[in-house]
Amino acid sequence: LLDLAKQHTIDALQLNYTDITARGLECLKSEPVKVLIISGSRVGREEIAVISQLPLLRRLNIFECDGLDDDAFSNFTGPANLRE
């Protein structure tokens, strides 16, 4: 993901069945990500914390992910622009 972010501007990203981590998601903070879809991956509190810091994020769809529970979202305030 870091290499992709270095070579391209990322405004929409779909991650299916990846080993993405909070550290990997950190590189998206400097990208104009408006749409983020994650499925079949391990997503927990740390990853949600990073996602909540994506300033331009408007649409977030996370499903069928291990580690995803109410606790993971306990401190999620979300980006101000989040609509879905």
Side-chain angles (χ1 to χ4, degrees):
L1 188 55
L2 182 58
D3 290 336
L4 180 66
K6 286 180 182 178
Q7 297 175 17
H8 302 281
T9 299
I10 302 172
D11 63 353
L13 183 63
Q14 184 168 341
L15 300 168
N16 299 327
Y17 299 94
T18 67
D19 292 325
I20 194 67
T21 63
R23 185 171 180 225
L25 290 169
E26 288 279 340
C27 69
L28 296 177
K29 287 196 223 175
S30 61
E31 296 292 322
V33 179
K34 294 178 185 167
V35 177
L36 180 59
I37 302 167
I38 303 175
S39 69
S41 304
R42 178 146 184 81
V43 175
R45 176 177 272 186
E46 291 179 18
E47 289 76 21
I48 295 299
V50 174
I51 291 168
S52 71
Q53 297 173 35
L54 300 177
L56 300 176
L57 190 64
R58 296 184 64 112
R59 181 174 168 229
L60 175 63
N61 191 351
I62 302 176
F63 59 99
E64 296 179 7
C65 290
D66 291 338
L68 194 60
D69 57 21
D70 290 342
D71 187 51
F73 283 96
S74 63
N75 294 321
F76 183 75
T77 56
N81 292 323
L82 191 64
R83 303 287 182 246
E84 304 179 43

PDB file of all heavy atoms in Angstrom, residues 29-42:
ATOM      1  N   LYS A  29      -3.328   8.631   5.331  1.00  0.00           N
ATOM      2  CA  LYS A  29      -3.647   9.925   5.948  1.00  0.00           C
ATOM      3  C   LYS A  29      -3.236  11.107   5.083  1.00  0.00           C
ATOM      4  O   LYS A  29      -3.830  12.167   5.169  1.00  0.00           O
ATOM      5  CB  LYS A  29      -2.979  10.039   7.312  1.00  0.00           C
ATOM      6  CG  LYS A  29      -3.617   9.188   8.370  1.00  0.00           C
ATOM      7  CD  LYS A  29      -3.135   9.691   9.708  1.00  0.00           C
ATOM      8  CE  LYS A  29      -2.762   8.662  10.675  1.00  0.00           C
ATOM      9  NZ  LYS A  29      -2.199   9.205  11.898  1.00  0.00           N
ATOM     10  N   SER A  30      -2.230  10.914   4.256  1.00  0.00           N
ATOM     11  CA  SER A  30      -1.779  12.004   3.384  1.00  0.00           C
ATOM     12  C   SER A  30      -2.399  11.908   1.983  1.00  0.00           C
ATOM     13  O   SER A  30      -2.035  12.679   1.102  1.00  0.00           O
ATOM     14  CB  SER A  30      -0.252  12.001   3.284  1.00  0.00           C
ATOM     15  OG  SER A  30       0.192  10.775   2.730  1.00  0.00           O
ATOM     16  N   GLU A  31      -3.314  10.991   1.798  1.00  0.00           N
ATOM     17  CA  GLU A  31      -3.990  10.818   0.511  1.00  0.00           C
ATOM     18  C   GLU A  31      -5.410  11.378   0.580  1.00  0.00           C
ATOM     19  O   GLU A  31      -6.011  11.409   1.650  1.00  0.00           O
ATOM     20  CB  GLU A  31      -4.049   9.334   0.140  1.00  0.00           C
ATOM     21  CG  GLU A  31      -2.704   8.691  -0.090  1.00  0.00           C
ATOM     22  CD  GLU A  31      -2.011   9.209  -1.327  1.00  0.00           C
ATOM     23  OE1 GLU A  31      -2.683   9.455  -2.342  1.00  0.00           O
ATOM     24  OE2 GLU A  31      -0.776   9.369  -1.270  1.00  0.00           O
ATOM     25  N   PRO A  32      -5.970  11.785  -0.556  1.00  0.00           N
ATOM     26  CA  PRO A  32      -7.339  12.321  -0.570  1.00  0.00           C
ATOM     27  C   PRO A  32      -8.404  11.230  -0.645  1.00  0.00           C
ATOM     28  O   PRO A  32      -9.296  11.252  -1.492  1.00  0.00           O
ATOM     29  CB  PRO A  32      -7.346  13.200  -1.817  1.00  0.00           C
ATOM     30  CG  PRO A  32      -6.412  12.506  -2.757  1.00  0.00           C
ATOM     31  CD  PRO A  32      -5.326  11.940  -1.859  1.00  0.00           C
ATOM     32  N   VAL A  33      -8.317  10.243   0.246  1.00  0.00           N
ATOM     33  CA  VAL A  33      -9.220   9.089   0.227  1.00  0.00           C
ATOM     34  C   VAL A  33     -10.635   9.534   0.589  1.00  0.00           C
ATOM     35  O   VAL A  33     -10.874  10.059   1.672  1.00  0.00           O
ATOM     36  CB  VAL A  33      -8.751   7.993   1.202  1.00  0.00           C
ATOM     37  CG1 VAL A  33      -9.717   6.827   1.190  1.00  0.00           C
ATOM     38  CG2 VAL A  33      -7.347   7.536   0.856  1.00  0.00           C
ATOM     39  N   LYS A  34     -11.561   9.296  -0.336  1.00  0.00           N
ATOM     40  CA  LYS A  34     -12.970   9.626  -0.106  1.00  0.00           C
ATOM     41  C   LYS A  34     -13.812   8.377   0.102  1.00  0.00           C
ATOM     42  O   LYS A  34     -14.848   8.433   0.742  1.00  0.00           O
ATOM     43  CB  LYS A  34     -13.523  10.435  -1.282  1.00  0.00           C
ATOM     44  CG  LYS A  34     -12.880  11.792  -1.409  1.00  0.00           C
ATOM     45  CD  LYS A  34     -13.404  12.540  -2.601  1.00  0.00           C
ATOM     46  CE  LYS A  34     -12.641  13.846  -2.746  1.00  0.00           C
ATOM     47  NZ  LYS A  34     -12.866  14.477  -4.020  1.00  0.00           N
ATOM     48  N   VAL A  35     -13.362   7.254  -0.468  1.00  0.00           N
ATOM     49  CA  VAL A  35     -14.099   5.992  -0.372  1.00  0.00           C
ATOM     50  C   VAL A  35     -13.130   4.899   0.076  1.00  0.00           C
ATOM     51  O   VAL A  35     -12.063   4.734  -0.517  1.00  0.00           O
ATOM     52  CB  VAL A  35     -14.722   5.599  -1.730  1.00  0.00           C
ATOM     53  CG1 VAL A  35     -15.410   4.248  -1.634  1.00  0.00           C
ATOM     54  CG2 VAL A  35     -15.667   6.666  -2.231  1.00  0.00           C
ATOM     55  N   LEU A  36     -13.505   4.177   1.121  1.00  0.00           N
ATOM     56  CA  LEU A  36     -12.694   3.069   1.607  1.00  0.00           C
ATOM     57  C   LEU A  36     -13.608   1.881   1.875  1.00  0.00           C
ATOM     58  O   LEU A  36     -14.573   1.984   2.636  1.00  0.00           O
ATOM     59  CB  LEU A  36     -11.951   3.456   2.891  1.00  0.00           C
ATOM     60  CG  LEU A  36     -11.055   2.385   3.504  1.00  0.00           C
ATOM     61  CD1 LEU A  36      -9.969   1.935   2.529  1.00  0.00           C
ATOM     62  CD2 LEU A  36     -10.437   2.891   4.806  1.00  0.00           C
ATOM     63  N   ILE A  37     -13.302   0.767   1.219  1.00  0.00           N
ATOM     64  CA  ILE A  37     -14.065  -0.469   1.388  1.00  0.00           C
ATOM     65  C   ILE A  37     -13.082  -1.555   1.807  1.00  0.00           C
ATOM     66  O   ILE A  37     -12.077  -1.779   1.133  1.00  0.00           O
ATOM     67  CB  ILE A  37     -14.772  -0.865   0.073  1.00  0.00           C
ATOM     68  CG1 ILE A  37     -15.709   0.253  -0.387  1.00  0.00           C
ATOM     69  CG2 ILE A  37     -15.522  -2.180   0.241  1.00  0.00           C
ATOM     70  CD1 ILE A  37     -16.213   0.092  -1.798  1.00  0.00           C
ATOM     71  N   ILE A  38     -13.373  -2.195   2.922  1.00  0.00           N
ATOM     72  CA  ILE A  38     -12.512  -3.272   3.423  1.00  0.00           C
ATOM     73  C   ILE A  38     -13.385  -4.481   3.709  1.00  0.00           C
ATOM     74  O   ILE A  38     -14.391  -4.375   4.411  1.00  0.00           O
ATOM     75  CB  ILE A  38     -11.776  -2.864   4.712  1.00  0.00           C
ATOM     76  CG1 ILE A  38     -10.949  -1.593   4.492  1.00  0.00           C
ATOM     77  CG2 ILE A  38     -10.880  -4.005   5.191  1.00  0.00           C
ATOM     78  CD1 ILE A  38     -10.283  -1.059   5.744  1.00  0.00           C
ATOM     79  N   SER A  39     -12.996  -5.632   3.157  1.00  0.00           N
ATOM     80  CA  SER A  39     -13.753  -6.864   3.431  1.00  0.00           C
ATOM     81  C   SER A  39     -12.795  -8.032   3.603  1.00  0.00           C
ATOM     82  O   SER A  39     -11.699  -8.051   3.039  1.00  0.00           O
ATOM     83  CB  SER A  39     -14.738  -7.157   2.296  1.00  0.00           C
ATOM     84  OG  SER A  39     -14.045  -7.522   1.125  1.00  0.00           O
ATOM     85  N   GLY A  40     -13.217  -8.991   4.414  1.00  0.00           N
ATOM     86  CA  GLY A  40     -12.462 -10.224   4.588  1.00  0.00           C
ATOM     87  C   GLY A  40     -11.073 -10.041   5.169  1.00  0.00           C
ATOM     88  O   GLY A  40     -10.217 -10.893   4.982  1.00  0.00           O
ATOM     89  N   SER A  41     -10.842  -8.962   5.867  1.00  0.00           N
ATOM     90  CA  SER A  41      -9.533  -8.671   6.449  1.00  0.00           C
ATOM     91  C   SER A  41      -9.676  -8.551   7.962  1.00  0.00           C
ATOM     92  O   SER A  41     -10.774  -8.420   8.482  1.00  0.00           O
ATOM     93  CB  SER A  41      -8.981  -7.366   5.871  1.00  0.00           C
ATOM     94  OG  SER A  41      -8.921  -7.430   4.460  1.00  0.00           O
ATOM     95  N   ARG A  42      -8.568  -8.572   8.655  1.00  0.00           N
ATOM     96  CA  ARG A  42      -8.610  -8.372  10.105  1.00  0.00           C
ATOM     97  C   ARG A  42      -8.607  -6.874  10.374  1.00  0.00           C
ATOM     98  O   ARG A  42      -7.660  -6.176  10.018  1.00  0.00           O
ATOM     99  CB  ARG A  42      -7.421  -9.033  10.774  1.00  0.00           C
ATOM    100  CG  ARG A  42      -7.414  -8.805  12.256  1.00  0.00           C
ATOM    101  CD  ARG A  42      -6.838  -9.995  12.997  1.00  0.00           C
ATOM    102  NE  ARG A  42      -6.914  -9.810  14.422  1.00  0.00           N
ATOM    103  CZ  ARG A  42      -7.993 -10.017  15.163  1.00  0.00           C
ATOM    104  NH1 ARG A  42      -9.098 -10.429  14.592  1.00  0.00           N
ATOM    105  NH2 ARG A  42      -7.978  -9.828  16.461  1.00  0.00           N
TER     106      ARG A  42
END
